[in-house]
Amino acid sequence: MDLLTTSPVASWQQRPNRLSGKMKSPVSRPSDASILENSTTTTATTFPSFNSSFVLVEGENAHAVAAAMTMANGKEMRRRSSAATKKEGAFLTDRNLNTTDANANANGDVGPVNGLAHSLNAPLRMGDVNGRAILRENINLHMERKHSTPMMPAFMVSAPGKVIVFGEHAVVYGKAAIAAAISLRSYLLVTTLSKSRRTVSLLFPDISFSHTWDIDALPWETFSHPSKKKFYYDLVTTLDPELVKAMQPHLSTVSLNLPEDTRRIHQASASAFLYLFLSLGSQHSPASVYTLRSTLPIGAGLGSSASICVCLSAALLLQIRALSGPHPDQPGVESELQIQRINRWAFVGEMCIHGSPSGVDNTVSSGGKAVMFKREDYRKPPTVTPLRNFPELPLLLVNTRQARSTAAEVAKVATLKREHPVVANMMLEAIDSVTESAHHLISENFNREDPESLRHLGELIRINHGLLVSLGVSHPKLERIRELVDHAGIGWTKLTGAGGGGCAITMLKSDVQPKILRELQAKFDEEGYEKFQITLGGDGVGVLWPAVLENGTREAGGEEIDQEKFLKAVGNDGVEKLVGVGVLEKREGWKFWRP
């Protein structure tokens, strides 16, 4: 409706005013139809308002015309109102409108007309202001007003890193490997902005990265073209070159003035986010800020990039309402489907970062616990077997902070295999046997409280490390960690990942004395190592919806985790204390898909 509309209406011979303040005797008058047909001197002007439209009727017979309009429109308004009320399943009344002529004169409302009392089903009312009649057409607010869509509350997703427990390097040659989730995790806070904002921002303060894009300027036309469009349930195994090309102008300005090494890391993160955002979202996606904090060391072979991609995948799928749960009563089959959906899109993010990832890291990060991974033919997808019974075990993780190259370590084994094929193949077969033995042990009702079970598993860890040393992929710093652990007698140690630096893991014995552990950790600190006391084999991707936790504060209903608090958390300890999964025994809020 236009702001102001005018139209000629009829007039008829002046008659006594029914709204003069006294009850009048009924008078005869022409029919409503003749009034509307014969008048040429009276006009009606409509003024829309929030929940009504006011009709100002001016002219020599304004009141009579207003009454005629009431009768002419009342029947149709009653029909529309009644139908809409029935449709909505509501029953509404307006007591103030059930009036007589007497009290109508007092409050400006028309009373019964031809025996019909005004109510919700007779929504036209008339008053008298300065000798002019005013009609107000009541619009049923419940029926007519469109409900606004509330902003999505701030929420969080979290995903773990991983370590390879058995099978490094042998997995390259078609053997099995076992990888398990660790309690070091990435945490992503998603904050929805007001509808007037049309930007999307990515903030990774731990790597000093932030960037904002104009949503409407992104290449939606390319990503939404029928030949390119992907849906949340699709399986994507390769990146589309045209879509990658369409993103380039929006990646070229990321961290433009930073050193090349830093810029490469930032652009890789931005590439993964944009590809997922453009694939799963739409031009109507809400403006949001995605803020990520991580307790995982970057570039240490712990699956930090996969953890980030799982967080982004889960958050975007939640925003388009493509995920069900998680909740405690969710059937296992349904939980498995949600994990699979998250994992598939996380793999797409990994392809943006790494090119040709194995898929192990994102699979472990999505589902948690552990998986057995095997790829006998690189022309076919790998075989990934979830190990849902993998025990949660205490673990000491030590980062050498020694830079290493996965490609260089893989090349070492390839050279050894070429120069000493029989010996190298025997060592790779032995590693495979260790992996299969561990799988069998874990699958046969492994009891983590039983010292003998722990010892058996620990010996397999020690043997696996010795074989990796024989392949030439260890490093003096890794051997120093093993030496210190063996001297303290607290557990069994091996390198994890490609080797040549990176990290070592120690499965702790059940009877470790806290004093001995503190002394060992002090030695690690003295020699420049980074240590983490963590859990192996925990949950995968989790959701905190809304972002509220019982943190022992006095805030009613729990502590709301907003962006300011999240950014101000200092270091790993601060992040863990604020939002960490499983940090406080009675902490509620985090939910997980558990098949």
Side-chain angles (χ1 to χ4, degrees), residues 454-533:
L454 280 177
R455 185 190 63 79
H456 191 172
L457 189 63
E459 286 180 348
L460 292 174
I461 287 175
R462 178 179 57 79
I463 293 168
N464 197 161
H465 178 75
L467 291 167
L468 291 170
V469 172
S470 298
L471 288 175
V473 295
S474 188
H475 186 277
K477 287 189 176 182
L478 290 168
E479 293 308 303
R480 176 59 176 163
I481 294 170
R482 184 191 56 77
E483 179 185 348
L484 290 172
V485 170
D486 287 351
H487 180 73
I490 64 167
W492 303 269
T493 300
K494 68 177 286 293
L495 68 83
T496 181
C503 295
I505 57 173
T506 297
M507 192 178 77
L508 297 172
K509 295 179 179 179
S510 58
D511 58 352
V512 175
Q513 297 297 317
K515 180 182 177 181
I516 295 176
L517 189 58
R518 287 195 299 270
E519 291 173 352
L520 176 63
Q521 291 176 342
K523 290 182 180 179
F524 286 142
D525 289 338
E526 290 174 8
E527 299 190 22
Y529 294 105
E530 185 180 22
K531 66 187 184 308
F532 305 90
Q533 197 166 342

Side-chain angles (χ1 to χ4, degrees), residues 160-161 163 180-184 369 390-397 448 532-539 581-582:
V163 293
I182 57 176
S183 55
L184 297 178
K369 302 305 284 184
F390 194 92
E392 291 191 18
L393 298 169
L395 200 72
L396 184 65
L397 174 72
R448 65 179 182 178
F532 305 90
Q533 197 166 342
I534 60 174
T535 301
L536 183 70
D539 284 307
V581 172

Side-chain angles (χ1 to χ4, degrees), residues 270-537:
S271 174
F273 169 74
L274 272 189
Y275 201 100
L276 295 183
F277 182 72
L278 288 164
S279 296
L280 293 171
S282 73
Q283 194 165 355
H284 304 292
S285 294
S288 303
V289 178
Y290 301 83
T291 307
L292 183 109
R293 301 294 303 272
S294 183
T295 60
L296 286 159
I298 304 294
L302 301 177
S304 59
S305 65
S307 175
I308 292 169
C309 289
V310 170
C311 286
L312 292 173
S313 170
L316 292 168
L317 287 167
L318 284 166
Q319 284 187 299
I320 64 171
R321 295 175 171 83
L323 295 176
S324 172
H327 57 83
D329 299 325
Q330 193 165 21
V333 174
E334 186 177 292
S335 293
E336 186 67 54
L337 177 62
Q338 314 312 308
I339 292 173
Q340 182 186 77
R341 191 167 289 165
I342 294 168
N343 186 34
R344 284 180 173 182
W345 284 102
F347 181 71
V348 175
E350 280 279 85
M351 286 193 290
C352 292
I353 296 173
H354 297 296
S356 300
S358 67
V360 174
D361 291 8
N362 50 275
T363 300
V364 174
S365 187
S366 298
K369 302 305 284 184
V371 300
M372 191 167 183
F373 179 91
K374 194 170 187 177
R375 194 169 202 164
E376 298 178 283
D377 187 344
Y378 275 80
R379 295 168 298 179
K380 298 178 181 179
T383 301
V384 180
T385 306
L387 305 179
R388 299 300 180 198
N389 294 325
F390 194 92
E392 291 191 18
L393 298 169
L395 200 72
L396 184 65
L397 174 72
V398 183
N399 183 13
T400 64
R401 291 177 166 151
Q402 174 65 44
R404 88 280 187 274
S405 166
T406 298
E409 301 306 313
V410 170
K412 286 182 184 178
V413 178
T415 300
L416 182 69
K417 194 172 184 298
R418 185 176 62 252
E419 295 178 353
H420 305 279
V422 175
V423 176
N425 284 333
M426 288 178 63
M427 287 190 287
L428 294 172
E429 289 289 346
I431 291 174
D432 189 45
S433 297
V434 169
T435 303
E436 293 289 352
S437 296
H439 180 217
H440 179 74
L441 176 64
I442 292 167
S443 303
E444 293 295 319
N445 298 318
F446 178 85
N447 183 4
R448 65 179 182 178
E449 304 298 332
D450 178 17
E452 185 61 25
S453 294
L454 280 177
R455 185 190 63 79
H456 191 172
L457 189 63
E459 286 180 348
L460 292 174
I461 287 175
R462 178 179 57 79
I463 293 168
N464 197 161
H465 178 75
L467 291 167
L468 291 170
V469 172
S470 298
L471 288 175
V473 295
S474 188
H475 186 277
K477 287 189 176 182
L478 290 168
E479 293 308 303
R480 176 59 176 163
I481 294 170
R482 184 191 56 77
E483 179 185 348
L484 290 172
V485 170
D486 287 351
H487 180 73
I490 64 167
W492 303 269
T493 300
K494 68 177 286 293
L495 68 83
T496 181
C503 295
I505 57 173
T506 297
M507 192 178 77
L508 297 172
K509 295 179 179 179
S510 58
D511 58 352
V512 175
Q513 297 297 317
K515 180 182 177 181
I516 295 176
L517 189 58
R518 287 195 299 270
E519 291 173 352
L520 176 63
Q521 291 176 342
K523 290 182 180 179
F524 286 142
D525 289 338
E526 290 174 8
E527 299 190 22
Y529 294 105
E530 185 180 22
K531 66 187 184 308
F532 305 90
Q533 197 166 342
I534 60 174
T535 301
L536 183 70

